[in-house]
Amino acid sequence: MITPALPEIIEEELGSSIESRNEALQSLRELGPPDLVHIIKRSVKSTSRETGIYHHVTGVDASSSASLAAYVNTLTHSPNDKSQKIVSSLYCCYNAFSRLDMRVDVKIPGGVESYCIDERGDKRVASEALWLETFLCAVLRAYSYADDGSGDTIRRIIGVRRFDPITSTEVEHKFLDAAERLFFKGWQLGSEPEIQVPNLVSNHLTTGLINYIHTTGRYASGINLFEKLRSRDAEISSLLARVFIFADEEVQAVNLLHEAIQELPMDYSLLDCQATFCQSKGRLDWALECAKRGVTAAPSEFGTWAKLAEIYVGLEQWDLALLTLNSCPMFTYQDKDAPRMPEPLRVLLPVLPESNLDEIDESHHAYDSEQVHPTLRKLHAAGYKGTFLKAYSLLTEITAKIGWDQLLRIRSQVFVMEEEYRSEKQTVGSQQSGPSRNASTTALRGASPGVNGAGTDGHADAGEEEHDGPGSMATTAVSGETNGEATGAEAATNNSIEKPEHTVTSEVVKSGNEDPDPSHSNYTQFQNKRLCERWLDNLFMVLYEDLRIYTIWRTDLARSKQEASDYKKSAEEWEILGELAERLHHFSEAVEAYQACLRIRFSPKAMKGVLKMYEKEGRYGEMLQALIRLIAWQYRWYSEFSPALLRTVRKLIEEEGAVKVRSIVQATSLPQPVLDLTHRYVQLCATFRSSGSDG
C-alpha cells in the first residue's frame, strides 16, 4: 500500500508546538485542529542533543491508544535521517464532544502512556467512552479537512498528512455504530457557517455522515442508520429522505416526506428537503410554497431565506428575489479550527517517489504575486465565504440571466436610492417643522435581521467608506488606472458598465434618529420600497468591480484576436480570471482561462475547473486524464484521500464500469507508479461494492 511521504517541521525551541497546542485548547470552537504528532530525535553521536519535529495528520484510527501508538511506530521503523534516532513521540487528538485533547506518549524503547488534557491543562484519565468520542471526531475531521481537489485546503496548513479514515466495510460499521450511539450529542460539535444554531439534523456530525454516504455511495448503510434513529425522533426524517433521494428511491422519499410533514408541519429541515426536491423536478410553484413555509418556520436561519430567493430566481421574479436576498440574516464566517504554530526553524517537504510527474512539478513555477496585476489581487469577491458567498452567488446568477443594466433598474425599483432619499427628505423638511420621519422603513419592523458580520474580511469597512462620499470604492474601481493611465479597453468598459448608485441603508436612516412612521403621508412614493441592507449594497459594488475587470479582459482578448497579436498573462493571472468568470457564471470563458493557465504550468485549481467541463460534457477519457494528475498532485502534498475526487471516480465507474476505467487509466503513457495511485481509488470503490465496480 502506498502511503504519503512524511513532512517534517523542525522546531526552533524543543516542545514549542506542544505548548502552542495547549494554549489553543481554550479557544477551540468546533471539531478542533488536525491531529499533532510530535517527535523527539536524538543525535546518534551526542546523547544530549535533541531536536523537536512535528507534523499534522488526519484520518488515523483514533479508537484506542493502541491504534495511535501503531501509527507512531510506523514512523520509527522508517527513519529518513540515519544520523538521528527517535527517542519519544507524542500523538495529540482532539475530542470535540468532551473538549479534551487525547494524548498518547510513546517512549522508545519503553512503554506507552495515554491520558487527556482539559482546557486548563490538567491531566485526566482516558476512558473507553472518551476514546469512542475521539474516534468519531477523527473521522469527521478527516472529511472536514479533506481537500476538494483544487488544492485550496492543502495550501492552508503546511505539512498535513491526510489518510482515508474508512478503507473497509468493517471500519464503516464501527464508524456508523459510533455515530448512532453519539448521534443525539452531535449538536455539541457545532455546524457549518450557514447554520445559525446547530440542532439535531444540522451539525458537523450529520454533515459528515451525509458527506460519507454521498461520497462512497453506501446508501443502504445510511438508510439503515437513519431508519433506526428515526424510530427515536421523527425529526431525523429529513436526513433519511435525503439519502433516499441520493439512492434514487424517490417514491419512498416522497412518501416519507408526506408522512413526516403531517407529524411535524413546521419542521424547516423537512420543508427545505421538500422544496429542493420539487425544485429538482421543475415544479417551482410547489417549491415556492414549501420555501415560504420554511421561512415562517425558521426566520432566523439563512438557509430558508436563501432557498426562497433561489426559487424566485428560478421563477424569474427578480424583484422578489432581491427583496428576499435583502432579508437574509447574515452570519460572521467562522473558519475551521486551524493550528497556530510558532515559526519553525526549518521545513522539510519530501516528494513521494511514486507521485513524481514532471508536468505537475511546481518547484520551477512557484507562485509569484508580483506577476499578478494589482487590480486582480484586490477582487473582494474571491475572499467571500459562508453566507456571503451564497448571497453573492445568487446575485451573480441573477446578473448572468438578466444583465447588469436590468439588475440596476430592478434594484432602483425595490430599494430607496440615495439621491431619491435626499431629495425627498429636503422636500419634506421644508414642509414641516420638528424632526422628520421616514416612511420608507414601513417594511422593516424593528432592527435589521442579524447583520452581524456584514464586514467579514474587511468588507464592513469598505461598506462604511462607500457612504462617506458618492461611491468612493466604486470611483476607485472605475478609474481603471494602470501605471497612471486608463487603457482603451478600460475606458470603453467604464462607459459600457453603469456605475451603481448607492441605496439608502437602514443604518443611515437610524443615524438621523428617524424612526419609522407608516402613517406619514408625505412619503407615499416610498411605500412599496425597502431599505437596502449595507452588506447587500456592498455586494453590488463588489459585483460591479468583478464585471468591470471581466469586461476589460474580454475586450482586450477580442482586440488581440482581431489584431492577431499575443494576449499575454501569467499563469497566476489566468487562474484568477478563470475563477472570476466562474463566479460570474461564464463557464466556457472560465474553462478557456483555466486551459491557458495549464499551458504555462500545472495548477490543481485550473485542472479541477477543466475537470468540471469534461464531466458536464461526458468526456470520460479526458476526465480520467485530469483525475490521474489531480490524484498524483494530492499525493505529492501528502494527501491520499479527497472525497470530491473519490466521488468523481465512483460516478465514472457507475457510468462506464470499473474494467473500462482501469483500461483507460492503464493505457495512459504515464509512469506506472503514478497510475497505481488512481488504481487505488478504483479499488476503494470495489471494496465498497459501488455500482459498476464488478464490470
Side-chain angles (χ1 to χ4, degrees):
M1 181 179 172
I2 303 168
T3 58
L6 180 64
E8 293 186 333
I9 303 172
I10 301 166
E11 296 175 314
E12 192 164 7
E13 186 179 334
L14 186 64
S16 58
S17 61
I18 301 294
E19 289 177 14
S20 295
R21 188 174 176 97
N22 291 343
E23 290 169 5
L25 290 178
Q26 292 183 346
S27 61
L28 298 180
R29 297 179 302 275
E30 299 185 341
L31 285 174
D35 303 351
L36 173 68
V37 183
H38 183 265
I39 299 167
I40 296 178
K41 287 186 177 183
R42 185 177 294 160
S43 174
V44 175
K45 296 178 181 178
S46 171
T47 56
S48 62
R49 188 178 173 188
E50 293 184 339
T51 307
I53 297 169
Y54 70 90
H55 68 272
H56 289 95
V57 63
T58 62
V60 174
D61 181 2
S63 57
S64 67
S65 59
S67 62
L68 296 184
Y71 173 79
V72 171
N73 285 333
T74 64
L75 309 179
T76 61
H77 293 316
S78 57
N80 296 324
D81 188 358
K82 301 294 183 183
S83 64
Q84 293 180 310
K85 62 178 181 180
I86 297 175
V87 293
S88 69
S89 298
L90 182 66
Y91 194 109
C92 309
C93 185
Y94 189 64
N95 177 341
F97 285 101
S98 299
R99 300 285 185 245
L100 298 169
D101 205 30
M102 310 297 283
R103 304 278 173 94
V104 176
D105 196 355
V106 181
K107 304 294 183 185
I108 303 168
V112 175
E113 181 191 4
S114 65
Y115 56 92
C116 51
I117 298 287
D118 64 18
E119 294 175 347
R120 295 186 299 275
D122 298 332
K123 266 191 179 185
R124 294 192 186 182
V125 177
S127 63
E128 286 299 316
L130 290 177
W131 281 117
L132 179 72
E133 293 175 350
T134 307
F135 166 70
L136 186 56
C137 289
V139 176
L140 297 176
R141 255 194 312 273
Y143 270 85
S144 179
Y145 279 93
D147 191 76
D148 65 355
S150 68
D152 287 343
T153 306
I154 284 177
R155 289 193 172 104
R156 200 167 294 156
I157 309 171
I158 192 169
V160 181
R161 297 180 95 193
R162 291 174 170 84
F163 293 97
D164 188 347
I166 303 172
T167 54
S168 66
T169 52
E170 291 77 16
V171 181
E172 178 198 84
H173 178 75
K174 187 161 73 168
F175 166 56
L176 296 180
D177 179 62
E180 182 183 354
R181 290 165 67 180
L182 296 170
F183 188 85
F184 292 93
K185 292 170 68 178
W187 61 270
Q188 298 175 14
L189 300 177
S191 63
E192 294 299 299
E194 294 83 3
I195 306 294
Q196 186 183 33
V197 182
N199 57 39
L200 188 62
V201 296
S202 299
N203 56 63
H204 283 307
L205 175 54
T206 57
T207 300
L209 284 167
I210 292 292
N211 197 357
Y212 169 74
I213 294 163
H214 193 44
T215 296
T216 59
R218 300 284 290 172
Y219 304 125
S221 299
I223 290 168
N224 182 47
L225 169 68
F226 290 131
E227 279 184 333
K228 285 190 286 186
L229 291 168
R230 180 177 173 261
S231 65
R232 296 166 63 184
D233 195 318
E235 199 176 336
I236 296 161
S237 300
S238 61
L239 297 174
L240 179 56
R242 286 173 67 184
V243 179
F244 273 137
I245 293 168
F246 289 156
D248 240 2
E249 300 285 351
E250 293 181 347
V251 174
Q252 284 182 269
V254 170
N255 287 334
L256 173 65
L257 285 170
H258 173 73
E259 182 185 324
I261 287 284
Q262 299 297 316
E263 189 176 348
L264 301 168
M266 295 304 284
D267 185 292
Y268 81 88
S269 297
L270 284 168
L271 292 165
D272 180 74
C273 185
Q274 204 170 39
T276 303
F277 179 74
C278 293
Q279 196 179 2
S280 70
K281 296 301 176 185
R283 290 308 305 258
L284 296 178
D285 51 340
W286 293 355
L288 180 62
E289 293 308 311
C290 297
K292 284 180 177 177
R293 283 179 62 187
V295 166
T296 305
S300 62
E301 286 294 340
F302 172 82
T304 55
W305 287 97
K307 175 59 68 178
L308 182 58
E310 202 177 300
I311 291 166
Y312 277 133
V313 171
L315 289 168
E316 299 184 355
Q317 296 182 18
W318 315 117
D319 53 344
L320 291 174
L322 279 184
L323 287 169
T324 305
L325 194 59
N326 190 53
S327 300
C328 286
M330 306 302 284
F331 314 134
T332 303
Y333 178 75
Q334 299 287 348
D335 210 346
K336 295 182 178 73
D337 293 317
R340 294 189 295 272
M341 292 294 166
E343 192 69 26
L345 180 67
R346 194 162 75 255
V347 178
L348 302 177
L349 301 173
V351 178
L352 181 72
E354 288 85 351
S355 70
N356 261 333
L357 189 60
D358 288 341
E359 64 179 274
I360 68 167
D361 183 11
E362 297 170 294
S363 59
H364 306 302
H365 305 281
Y367 181 88
D368 184 4
S369 62
E370 294 301 318
Q371 295 184 9
V372 180
H373 193 278
T375 55
L376 293 178
R377 284 204 302 266
K378 294 175 182 176
L379 293 175
H380 287 300
Y384 281 146
K385 294 177 182 177
T387 53
F388 291 92
L389 177 61
K390 176 64 178 175
Y392 189 73
S393 179
L394 283 169
L395 197 58
T396 53
E397 187 181 347
I398 296 171
T399 310
K401 289 183 176 180
I402 65 174
W404 175 244
D405 292 340
Q406 180 66 5
L407 177 65
L408 290 186
R409 274 195 290 274
I410 294 169
R411 175 179 178 244
S412 65
Q413 288 167 10
V414 297
F415 296 130
V416 180
M417 306 309 291
E418 192 171 38
E419 285 305 314
E420 184 179 30
Y421 170 74
R422 283 176 179 168
S423 62
E424 188 71 13
K425 184 180 176 183
Q426 287 171 359
T427 304
V428 174
S430 63
Q431 294 175 359
Q432 64 174 23
S433 59
S436 63
R437 294 180 177 270
N438 182 8
S440 64
T441 53
T442 301
L444 296 177
R445 301 302 183 193
S448 306
V451 231
N452 58 337
T456 300
D457 299 327
H459 295 147
D461 295 337
E464 287 164 13
E465 289 167 8
E466 287 161 19
H467 296 280
D468 293 338
S472 57
M473 173 189 156
T475 306
T476 306
V478 168
S479 63
E481 291 180 2
T482 309
N483 297 326
E485 295 180 5
T487 65
E490 288 170 330
T493 301
N494 295 340
N495 292 328
S496 63
I497 300 182
E498 183 186 345
K499 180 176 69 175
E501 295 178 19
H502 284 290
T503 59
V504 174
T505 65
S506 53
E507 291 92 334
V508 171
V509 173
K510 289 170 187 171
S511 67
N513 296 319
E514 296 165 352
D515 298 323
D517 182 2
S519 63
H520 206 295
S521 59
N522 289 311
Y523 285 94
T524 51
Q525 71 181 73
F526 290 161
Q527 64 183 353
N528 294 318
K529 288 195 173 190
R530 305 292 186 270
L531 296 178
C532 184
E533 293 293 341
R534 173 161 290 182
W535 65 265
L536 182 56
D537 195 52
N538 192 36
L539 284 196
F540 274 98
M541 300 302 168
V542 172
L543 174 56
Y544 169 70
E545 180 66 359
D546 265 5
L547 289 168
R548 191 183 74 83
I549 298 299
Y550 174 81
T551 308
I552 290 171
W553 164 40
R554 300 310 298 176
T555 305
D556 278 346
L557 185 61
R559 191 175 65 244
S560 66
K561 284 179 180 177
Q562 274 185 339
E563 297 171 356
S565 59
D566 288 337
Y567 185 70
K568 291 184 179 180
K569 291 282 182 187
S570 67
E572 291 81 4
E573 288 176 326
W574 280 120
E575 187 180 291
I576 292 170
L577 289 170
E579 282 185 282
L580 170 62
E582 197 170 350
R583 260 197 321 271
L584 297 175
H585 302 273
H586 297 301
F587 299 112
S588 57
E589 288 82 359
V591 170
E592 181 185 331
Y594 286 143
Q595 288 173 330
C597 171
L598 291 169
R599 283 194 288 271
I600 301 171
R601 68 159 174 84
F602 182 81
S603 158
K605 184 173 288 183
M607 186 61 83
K608 181 78 187 297
V610 172
L611 174 63
K612 287 180 193 172
M613 184 264 290
Y614 291 151
E615 190 173 3
K616 189 177 178 181
E617 296 179 358
R619 294 161 61 178
Y620 301 126
E622 287 94 335
M623 275 180 71
L624 279 169
Q625 296 299 322
L627 281 167
I628 290 168
R629 287 156 177 81
L630 285 170
I631 290 170
W633 189 90
Q634 293 274 317
Y635 267 93
R636 161 64 186 91
W637 294 106
Y638 320 115
S639 173
E640 71 164 21
F641 171 62
S642 169
L645 297 183
L646 177 59
R647 191 182 306 126
T648 304
V649 170
R650 181 177 66 78
K651 287 181 179 176
L652 202 51
I653 289 172
E654 284 182 1
E655 293 288 334
E656 297 294 294
V659 173
K660 184 174 180 181
V661 168
R662 285 183 185 277
S663 300
I664 295 172
V665 171
Q666 200 56 45
T668 305
S669 58
L670 291 172
Q672 187 60 44
V674 171
L675 302 182
D676 289 340
L677 302 178
T678 303
H679 284 316
R680 183 195 164 276
Y681 274 70
V682 178
Q683 181 56 46
L684 197 58
C685 293
T687 301
F688 287 115
R689 297 186 288 277
S690 299
S691 175
S693 58
D694 298 331

